[in-house]
Amino acid sequence: MSDPLDRRLGTGSWWQCVIRGSGGEPDRFITVQSARYPDGSRIELAPEMARVQVGDDALCEITFGDARRIVGLQVMSWFAPKAPAMWFAERRESTATPPAVSLMAFTGAGQPHHTLVDEADLRNIPVGTADQLGALRWYPATGEIDQIYVQPSWRRRNIASALLAAGGSLSVARDWPRFWSDGQRTVMGEQLRNGRSWRHRGAEVTHIAPPMTPGEA
């Protein structure tokens, strides 16, 4: 008999659950991995109904603050069981061609777990590039993933999976396109694509790119 987690990771259907607050504005946004609704569906549910229909299949939960600003970003532990409790920082590269967004994962530094800070907030937190667990970069106009990188000391800890789940949920919560990738990947990127339920969102490999860490085989 296969492991229940293996069966869940094989489910290709990701749908979205919106839960509104008393004022009618979105309060929580949950991406869900289950076959209850077709892939890509967006369903609005009352909190009590969401508990029933989402159940234990929630993949990533987003919470909103004032003016629909996303302030919380939690990847569920069943999906990335080896990852530490993380918080995230977002950088928007509006002057890049094409414009890009980067999502960085950190742990510690006195920050609450599962929070999302922007670039201005990040300047006041005592962390640098070397403190990143990993980072994901994509093009919000199209949803194409450009790069994903995990620090060597943090590899095989589900960091890349957590970043993809978090970034993909962040993108669709803002009504940006869903993530996809072309056929150019590193060997590790190909392993990640083939071992997860989003394999259908990435083209078959056409070109193996060199490793992102110099000197790696």
Side-chain angles (χ1 to χ4, degrees):
M1 181 179 294
S2 62
D3 185 271
L5 178 58
D6 292 337
R7 293 200 299 273
R8 291 171 78 176
L9 294 182
T11 302
S13 182
W14 286 29
W15 52 277
Q16 307 151 28
C17 172
V18 179
I19 302 171
R20 296 187 182 274
S22 57
E25 289 295 310
D27 181 56
R28 286 183 291 153
F29 183 100
I30 305 171
T31 49
V32 187
Q33 184 172 301
S34 79
R36 181 178 290 272
Y37 293 104
D39 187 45
S41 300
R42 180 172 297 186
I43 310 298
E44 290 198 17
L45 297 171
E48 60 275 10
M49 186 57 68
R51 282 192 291 271
V52 173
Q53 296 201 18
V54 172
D56 295 329
D57 294 320
L59 179 69
C60 181
E61 181 168 332
I62 285 172
T63 53
F64 294 89
D66 295 337
R68 291 202 64 181
R69 180 186 177 188
I70 294 174
V71 296
L73 190 55
Q74 179 181 2
V75 178
M76 300 306 168
S77 60
W78 73 262
F79 189 76
K82 299 179 183 178
M86 294 183 289
W87 55 275
F88 299 92
E90 180 184 17
R91 182 174 68 244
R92 299 198 189 191
E93 304 171 40
S94 57
T95 59
T97 305
V101 174
S102 292
L103 185 68
M104 298 157 281
F106 297 88
T107 190
Q111 296 303 300
H113 302 152
H114 316 311
T115 55
L116 174 68
V117 302
D118 60 21
E119 193 169 7
D121 294 329
L122 188 60
R123 296 191 190 102
N124 299 317
I125 302 173
V127 292
T129 302
D131 300 304
Q132 293 180 23
L133 309 186
L136 168 69
R137 186 175 188 266
W138 75 94
Y139 304 123
T142 63
E144 181 183 6
I145 296 169
D146 176 44
Q147 292 180 349
I148 184 165
Y149 178 77
V150 177
Q151 295 278 16
S153 60
W154 282 98
R155 290 177 186 168
R156 302 188 185 281
R157 295 283 302 274
N158 302 138
I159 304 298
S161 294
L163 278 165
L164 285 165
S169 299
L170 188 67
S171 187
V172 295
R174 290 177 171 152
D175 294 323
W176 296 347
R178 300 178 75 191
F179 277 3
W180 64 278
S181 69
D182 63 13
Q184 301 182 71
R185 287 183 285 277
T186 64
V187 170
M188 294 183 71
E190 177 68 356
Q191 292 172 348
L192 177 65
R193 180 259 187 186
N194 291 337
R196 285 293 192 171
S197 58
W198 49 60
R199 63 179 64 90
H200 63 296
R201 304 294 302 171
E204 294 296 328
V205 66
T206 57
H207 174 70
I208 294 293
M212 296 182 68
T213 303
E216 275 193 342

